[in-house]
Amino acid sequence: MNKQRFTNMLLLIISLVVVVGLIGSFVFSQKQKTTAPTNPNTETTSTYTKEQTPPATETTITLSSDKKSIMENDKVLLKIDHDTIFNWFKNDSQLCEGYNLTSVIDREKFCRNLNSFKSQTRFASIIVSPDKIKIGFSIESDTLTPDKVVGIFLTTDNTVKLLSNYYLGNEFISFSPQSTYFVYKGICWEGLCGLFVKDANTLEDKISLNNPEFLDMRTVDANFINWITDNKITYKLGTETKEVSF
């Protein structure tokens, strides 16, 4: 009897172990089905927001709509009534000397009143150097047209320099490719002009072409063609094309 009872208990234990094993296997298989498989070749992508750096504002140098100011974007760099410009017209242009001062209506007011000068005078054109720190310009005035004076403005130290006389034909032409030199047309006489190259930083003369000692001895016009290198140009003297280095 005791032996039979032991046998029955052993069978019961074995049955329970089998049942538990079956249940565990079923539960495990169900869990595997509901769990998404992991692909070892799939890269995990993390999403993040990168702080954007605003683009740098491009420097644009232009004339104001009324041509009274040279602008860098919205900033005024140079006004037509700058002291150097006004004083040059008053003292060096010959427009305000002797007979010229009284021969034209309102000339005296133009020469002595800053507001009158400003209302009659404007930048005719500007040329900006490749490095954008030097600006060549020409100025014209209603008091005597279409004559012009040529000048340059160095933004590094706010230097304003008038380069020519006030006469017909004067023109600021261009800067060299490396902004080292510039060329302008000036000292004109009866429509015949010379060409002048200066150092753009020191304003020292580098070379002058078609610039005789006496203006009335000039027989041909000089015209700039192009820069060959930073210190070599092509120009036309009358009908003849020439090259010169400096």
Side-chain angles (χ1 to χ4, degrees), residues 44-45 62 67 101:
T44 301
T45 303
T62 58
K67 296 189 175 183
L101 184 63

Side-chain angles (χ1 to χ4, degrees), residues 14 47 50-51 65 70 77 86-87 91 100-101 105 112 157 173 181 190 196 200 203 210:
I14 292 172
T47 303
K50 183 179 180 180
E51 184 178 350
S65 57
I70 298 175
L77 294 178
F86 178 55
N87 289 332
N91 301 319
N100 290 331
L101 184 63
I105 297 175
R112 296 179 179 175
D157 58 5
I173 299 175
Y181 307 104
E190 300 297 331
F196 301 85
L203 304 184
N210 201 36

Side-chain angles (χ1 to χ4, degrees), residues 5-6 19 25 34 36 50 59 71 79 87 103 132 145 156 165 176 188-189 200 205 224 242:
R5 184 179 298 174
F6 174 78
V19 170
S25 177
T34 58
K50 183 179 180 180
T59 299
M71 310 289 296
K79 294 182 178 181
N87 289 332
S103 61
K132 294 189 177 183
T145 59
T156 49
N165 58 353
S176 65
C188 304
W189 180 258
D205 295 329
F224 175 83
K242 294 176 173 287

Side-chain angles (χ1 to χ4, degrees), residues 38-120:
T38 302
N39 187 346
N41 296 322
T42 302
E43 294 181 0
T44 301
T45 303
S46 59
T47 303
Y48 64 96
T49 302
K50 183 179 180 180
E51 184 178 350
Q52 298 295 322
T53 302
T57 302
E58 182 180 356
T59 299
T60 303
I61 298 176
T62 58
L63 278 177
S64 60
S65 57
D66 61 2
K67 296 189 175 183
K68 305 291 185 183
S69 299
I70 298 175
M71 310 289 296
E72 180 183 353
N73 298 333
D74 296 327
K75 175 186 175 184
V76 175
L77 294 178
L78 181 65
K79 294 182 178 181
I80 197 64
D81 57 352
H82 187 280
D83 285 348
T84 298
I85 297 173
F86 178 55
N87 289 332
W88 184 89
F89 271 89
K90 184 169 61 176
N91 301 319
D92 301 315
S93 68
Q94 298 183 342
L95 293 176
C96 301
E97 296 179 359
Y99 175 76
N100 290 331
L101 184 63
T102 58
S103 61
V104 179
I105 297 175
D106 290 337
R107 176 66 62 78
E108 186 171 359
K109 189 176 181 181
F110 165 85
C111 294
R112 296 179 179 175
N113 183 282
L114 187 60
N115 288 329
S116 178
F117 170 82
K118 182 178 179 179
S119 68
Q120 297 183 59

Side-chain angles (χ1 to χ4, degrees), residues 25-36:
S25 177
F26 176 79
V27 170
F28 180 78
S29 65
Q30 290 298 108
K31 185 176 181 181
Q32 287 291 92
K33 290 180 181 179
T34 58
T35 303

